[in-house]
Amino acid sequence: MTAARSSWDDFKREVFGDRTEIIEGVEVKVPTDVPFGVAARMGDLSESSAQEDFEELVCALFGPEVFEQWMEAGMGQIGLMTVLTWGMAQAAGNDISFQEAYTAIVSGDPGKAMSPEAPAPNRAARRSRSGSTGGQSRRTSPASTGSKRTRSRA
């Protein structure tokens, strides 16, 4: 038994769908897969206000020229973060609403909107949670080693 042959575009449309959404008057294809590198860049946005960083992600998720069209339509930073969070969740297979994406943005935890297998936080965020100061650690107290010996047996 041989499988029917189809083009990549036909296969992709059948498997991933061909859903579109109108956002700020611009019809965009709903993301169905996370482009390489986008998940890591999304985590860095909280520390950036550079227009180029946002533009790069919008282009990767929704296509070229969409960012400029949204800016011309008057989309602001919270709106853009809401749409990016929604788009990333859609791309990860989590069909959330714009309201859910917005709630995640204003709550300060856009990662909640992602799928259960959300990407790990960026390096700076992981390190900020660590108790490490970068200095030498203190010597372990002999009373806390669990050993009655006062010297090693060497």
Side-chain angles (χ1 to χ4, degrees):
M1 180 186 258
T2 55
R5 298 207 184 253
S6 65
S7 72
W8 170 252
D9 290 338
D10 291 340
F11 167 77
K12 188 176 175 183
R13 199 170 14 267
E14 180 181 325
V15 172
F16 296 109
D18 203 14
R19 192 173 125 206
T20 60
E21 189 72 44
I22 297 177
I23 302 172
E24 289 288 348
V26 180
E27 185 174 13
V28 295
K29 186 175 180 317
V30 175
T32 56
D33 200 3
V34 180
F36 286 109
V38 169
R41 298 283 300 136
M42 185 72 176
D44 294 338
L45 276 185
S46 61
E47 301 168 10
S48 174
S49 61
Q51 180 173 327
E52 299 81 35
D53 293 338
F54 288 93
E55 188 171 1
E56 179 184 326
L57 288 174
V58 169
C59 182
L61 279 174
F62 299 104
E65 300 174 15
V66 172
F67 181 81
E68 292 170 14
Q69 293 172 333
W70 285 346
M71 293 305 101
E72 288 172 8
M75 183 181 278
Q77 189 169 358
I78 292 185
L80 185 60
M81 287 300 296
T82 300
V83 171
L84 284 171
T85 300
W86 174 85
M88 285 296 294
Q90 296 294 322
N94 189 5
D95 189 15
I96 66 169
S97 68
F98 289 111
Q99 179 63 49
E100 290 168 313
Y102 173 77
T103 301
I105 290 299
V106 296
S107 74
D109 192 5
K112 280 186 174 181
M114 304 298 175
S115 69
E117 291 105 29
N122 66 26
R123 185 178 189 187
R126 289 191 309 266
R127 288 186 173 189
S128 70
R129 288 195 304 247
S130 169
S132 175
T133 61
Q136 271 188 330
S137 60
R138 292 182 300 184
R139 184 171 177 249
T140 305
S141 163
S144 66
T145 63
S147 172
K148 300 285 184 203
R149 287 179 274 149
T150 57
R151 293 191 223 200
S152 77
R153 291 185 181 174

